Structures are given as structure tokens and as C-alpha cells.
Amino acid sequence: MKKIWLSLAGLSLLWTGGCGLTDTPTELMRAPAADVNQQSINQAVMQFLPPGSQLTVPLQPEESSAVSLHDLTGDGSPEVIAFYKTEKTDYEIGVLVLSQNGGSWKKTASFTGIGRELDYVQYVDMTGDGIAEMLVGWGGGDGLNKELSVYSFHENNPQELLKQSYSVMAVGDLDGDEQEELVLIIHDHSNLTSKAEVYGITEGMLAKRTEIALEGNVNGYEAAVIGKASAEKKGIFIEAGMGAHSAMTELLIYEDGQLHRPLVAAGKEIDLTFKPYSLGSEDINDDGIIEIGIHTQPPGTDELPMAEVPWISSYYQWRGGTELSHIEDHFQSQTLGFNFRIPEKWKDKYTIEQNPDPGSAVVHMMYYGQNGENKATLLTFQAMPQAEWAKIEKSFEGKQTPYLVLSEQNKQVLVAIQPQKPGHLGGQALREYNAMLLTSDEIRHLFRKLKRPI
């Protein structure tokens, strides 16, 4: 639940509970200026919102807010921008812009767009004049394409520089000229066609520079991100859902004003990045280059239904042409909220076991030797209710069970339980097992909290 609704009457009240909610309404506002009074902003928004209005938060990007501060006119003073819906219609979203004049806030602009939800809001200098434009994506609901409007503000009047439909979008510097480009992915579900379009400033106008056809026989495109595909080249990483148990990542490279699909061999469709479920591309190892995520099935799980497989997230970098190079593996538990990087010394000698119950709070990382003839627990992750933790901790200490507390959040305590030495292993298997055990420092280094989808 990323979308937040806030009634006008409750704007000055504390918020409690719910995904994505903040403690106070002032925390809705991002990037506040040090010399701007937060209370005056709250009062101004309350004053100028139409009666019966409710503030609404953009679905994307993740850090978006219902009320924000940005300098839209280039005069050095930020404007307040608020997004809202009214009770009159489900298909209209309002935008309120306030400017400070003589120590008080005045309404300088107010307009509406057609949409059931606010899909995207970003403030980016798209024209190269040093002043941010407002990018607003109006959404019609699940399965429908959205519509992007790019607004520039001159003398406090919004001017629409671009209006274009899209399925997913991304903004970033594609060609290294320190000027942002806009990428729109457009999927026509009825005609099973898709394309990617690049927009940028051309002869003083925001215009389309190039486009390329993409795979049209997909369920839909789900995300796009711009970043380094290699040390020398920028790329666009696009995630697509193919069916109930299939997804893929499309990589586009922008060179000499044109888009290319390097992972598609001549005369062939993409097959390098197929995966059972969507897995977003990201810079998983913090080297500045984005990796493509592809699921790997742990050994010994072939008989499990796909939904019960504890999939490993394997990440690859593009090496030019149609080549991908494996970087590292991770196990990511949405249920327990953690990301564990698989250590190199576990390679080809481990598997993962977990209860198929969606509510299960235990994951076992297992030694897997001799094709499964030798198995033993290497590490166990378990989430426990915070209210019961004191009792469980005493039990661990009484049994001399080694453990680490990794995180405490959402009234849960997540611990890593280190194993006692197994009595059933011997010889080469025991030597392999012992070499794979992790120290407390190694566990902490490999662990990180997983940013849960909202």
C-alpha cells in the first residue's frame, strides 16, 4: 500500500499504523528548506485545498510525497506542491502550487489531470536551463497505460511541454552529457506490440530522439532503470512479466543517438534473462554497474512446486555482445525481510530449505555434499515475536545455542542461529562442512535488511 490518503480535517493530526505512513503530516514533505516554516506550510495547504479534498502520494519513485518543496521558477525560493483528490470524481487528480510572498503563502497555480491514481512525480531539469520541470504520471489503474505530462513553470503558469502515454518510465543521463533524458516504455496489450522511446532536449524543445521495437508478447512491463551497463556504457534495464511463471529483463544500450538490444542475437528472441518471476536489476555489489537478476533453483528442490522453491537470486553483468558474467548470488526472503549474500566458499555445495507455509519464519542454509547424500545445517534464520524474545533468548543461553540478533523491526526479532557440530558427518564431508561455517563477523557482513515492497 504505497498510496496514502489524508483527509483535510486530519492534516494536523498524528498518523498511526499502515504501510508507508509517517508520524506527522510534516514528514510528508521531502527536502524541506531550512528557512521555511513547516507549520506555515501545513496551514497553507489546509487553507487552499478544495473542501473535501484528500492528499494523495505518488506511487513512484519510492521517496515521493504528497506535499513537497521545489524551486519551479528558478527564483531561488521553493514552491510548495501538493497533490490531492476530491470526492467529486475518482478520475481526476489536482495539483496545488503555493509561493511565498511577503512572508505568507499564496496560491499561484492550480490544475488537474485525468487519472485514477498518481503513478509518478519527479522534479528534473529536462530542458537544460537549470530549472526543474515537473514530471507527472497520471494512472488509470492496473493493466492500463498511464499518461505522462511534463510541466515547465514560467511566471507561475504551468506549461505542458510533453504529453505521452507509457507503461513504465525512467529518467537519467544516457549519453554522459550531464543532461537528463526521458525513456518511455509503451506496451500495446491489444496489438501485442511494444517500444521504447527516448526524449531529450533538441533545438530547445523536448522531443523524441529515437525509438526501438521491443518484445510485444508480454503480460506487461513492470519497471525500468537507467544506469551503467558496463564501465564505459550506460544502459536501460527493463523488467517484463511474460506469464504466470516467466519474466525477463531487456537491456537497451544508447549509442550515437540510437537504441540497441545487445542481448538479442541475430534472428533470435531473448533467452538469456528468462526467469520464473520478476527480479529487478540493481547495483547489487556497489561497484557502480547495474547487474541483471536471474533466479537459480537450489539443488534438491526439483520436486517442489514452483511457488515453494526457495529461489536464489543470481546477479550478472553485461560483458558486451550477448555475454553475461556471473557476479554473485543472494538469498532474499520477503517474509523475513532480509538479503543474504552467499559466500564464495559455499559455491556448488549448499542448498536452502524452508517451510512452504507463507507464514513460516524459519530458513535453513544447508551444506549439500555428494549430491545431497551429506546434509547438515550451516546457518538458520528465524524471526520471532518481540514480545516472546526475552523468553526465547533465555532458552538459547541455557542450551548454549550460538546466535546473533540481526534486526528488530515490525515487532519481530530476526536472529541467525549458528549450528552445533553435526555428529553424522565424517572424513571429507566434515572437512568441507567445517570450511563452510561462518564466523559472527562474516554473517553480519553478508546480511542486510531487505527493502520490502510497499
Side-chain angles (χ1 to χ4, degrees):
M1 184 182 65
K2 179 67 184 292
K3 190 174 183 180
I4 303 172
W5 292 71
L6 183 66
S7 68
L8 180 58
L11 186 59
S12 60
L13 301 179
L14 295 180
W15 289 16
T16 58
C19 180
L21 298 184
T22 59
D23 290 332
T24 65
T26 56
E27 290 175 1
L28 275 173
M29 187 168 54
R30 307 287 182 175
D35 58 347
V36 175
N37 185 286
Q38 301 254 318
Q39 184 177 358
S40 72
I41 292 174
N42 290 338
Q43 292 173 345
V45 171
M46 292 168 61
Q47 176 185 352
F48 290 108
L49 278 179
S53 296
Q54 297 171 315
L55 292 175
T56 184
V57 174
L59 299 175
Q60 304 174 69
E62 198 167 279
E63 67 275 10
S64 298
S65 57
V67 181
S68 59
L69 282 165
H70 293 276
D71 183 3
L72 299 176
T73 59
D75 63 357
S77 297
E79 281 72 39
V80 170
I81 306 102
F83 297 94
Y84 64 91
K85 293 194 72 173
T86 68
E87 298 173 344
K88 295 178 180 179
T89 174
D90 285 337
Y91 290 93
E92 189 173 79
I93 297 171
V95 184
L96 174 66
V97 181
L98 309 179
S99 297
Q100 210 165 25
N101 185 3
S104 61
W105 292 98
K106 305 294 184 182
K107 182 170 73 171
T108 54
S110 180
F111 58 97
T112 60
I114 303 301
R116 188 165 193 154
E117 59 191 17
L118 195 56
D119 178 69
Y120 184 95
V121 172
Q122 189 63 282
Y123 304 89
V124 182
D125 178 13
M126 298 300 306
T127 60
D129 62 358
I131 304 172
E133 276 69 46
M134 180 195 295
L135 283 63
V136 182
W138 317 97
D142 292 341
L144 299 176
N145 274 339
K146 301 99 175 176
E147 189 167 66
L148 173 70
S149 294
V150 179
Y151 297 100
S152 181
F153 286 76
H154 295 282
E155 298 181 355
N156 294 319
N157 294 316
Q159 298 180 7
E160 194 173 50
L161 304 183
L162 179 72
K163 178 178 281 188
Q164 182 59 269
S165 65
Y166 71 98
S167 302
V168 295
M169 60 176 291
V171 178
D173 180 7
L174 272 175
D175 51 13
D177 64 353
E178 300 185 355
Q179 175 62 50
E180 304 293 287
E181 279 78 39
L182 169 67
V183 176
L184 302 180
I185 312 302
I186 305 163
H187 174 53
D188 185 334
H189 199 279
S190 299
N191 296 314
L192 295 179
T193 60
S194 299
K195 61 181 177 178
E197 300 178 335
V198 175
Y199 290 81
I201 191 68
T202 303
E203 296 181 354
M205 300 288 291
L206 186 59
K208 183 166 65 176
R209 291 181 177 175
T210 188
E211 67 178 64
I212 191 171
L214 301 178
E215 174 60 51
N217 192 22
V218 299
N219 279 7
Y221 287 94
E222 299 170 359
V225 62
I226 294 172
K228 279 192 171 183
S230 68
E232 298 82 22
K233 295 182 180 180
K234 291 281 193 74
I236 309 162
F237 299 79
I238 309 164
E239 311 302 329
M242 304 294 290
H245 294 294
S246 59
M248 72 168 183
T249 299
E250 174 86 79
L251 172 62
L252 303 181
I253 299 297
Y254 185 64
E255 289 183 304
D256 300 323
Q258 300 296 319
L259 290 169
H260 306 279
R261 302 170 70 194
L263 297 183
V264 180
K268 296 182 180 179
E269 296 299 326
I270 291 179
D271 57 8
L272 292 175
T273 65
F274 272 119
K275 62 197 89 175
Y277 303 100
S278 292
L279 180 60
S281 301
E282 61 177 301
D283 180 10
I284 197 69
N285 60 347
D286 298 322
D287 66 349
I289 298 172
I290 292 180
E291 284 78 36
I292 294 173
I294 302 174
H295 294 103
T296 301
Q297 187 165 359
T301 62
D302 292 342
E303 301 302 318
L304 292 178
M306 287 191 68
E308 296 181 8
V309 173
W311 295 97
I312 299 163
S313 300
S314 299
Y315 288 89
Y316 296 80
Q317 277 186 8
W318 177 59
R319 296 301 187 192
T322 57
E323 294 185 14
L324 294 176
S325 176
H326 178 260
I327 299 300
E328 57 192 37
D329 292 331
H330 291 244
F331 178 71
Q332 299 165 334
S333 172
Q334 296 287 345
T335 302
L336 303 189
F338 74 88
N339 181 335
F340 183 74
R341 178 163 58 86
I342 304 301
E344 186 64 27
K345 62 183 177 182
W346 285 13
K347 185 178 180 181
D348 300 328
K349 292 178 289 188
Y350 80 97
T351 191
I352 300 170
E353 293 182 357
Q354 65 181 2
N355 190 317
D357 183 348
S360 174
V362 181
V363 174
H364 300 287
M365 316 299 288
M366 305 292 295
Y367 165 64
Y368 193 86
Q370 297 292 314
N371 293 320
E373 293 181 14
N374 297 313
K375 292 174 65 177
T377 301
L378 290 163
L379 190 63
T380 297
F381 294 98
Q382 185 170 356
M384 306 167 192
Q386 200 166 41
E388 301 176 16
W389 170 237
K391 180 180 178 180
I392 296 171
E393 186 175 30
K394 284 184 180 179
S395 174
F396 281 167
E397 292 172 351
K399 296 177 182 178
Q400 295 185 326
T401 302
Y403 70 93
L404 293 172
V405 175
L406 298 174
S407 70
E408 296 185 53
Q409 58 183 352
N410 301 322
K411 298 182 180 181
Q412 296 281 324
V413 177
L414 178 64
V415 299
I417 305 170
Q418 296 167 281
Q420 307 286 354
K421 289 190 176 181
H424 64 286
L425 296 182
Q428 177 64 22
L430 182 58
R431 288 191 291 273
E432 275 189 348
Y433 174 84
N434 286 334
M436 294 171 67
L437 290 173
L438 301 175
T439 66
S440 296
D441 286 343
E442 286 176 314
I443 295 169
R444 292 191 187 280
H445 179 68
L446 297 168
F447 168 87
R448 71 185 186 197
K449 294 179 184 178
L450 186 67
K451 189 178 293 184
R452 295 176 183 268
I454 297 177

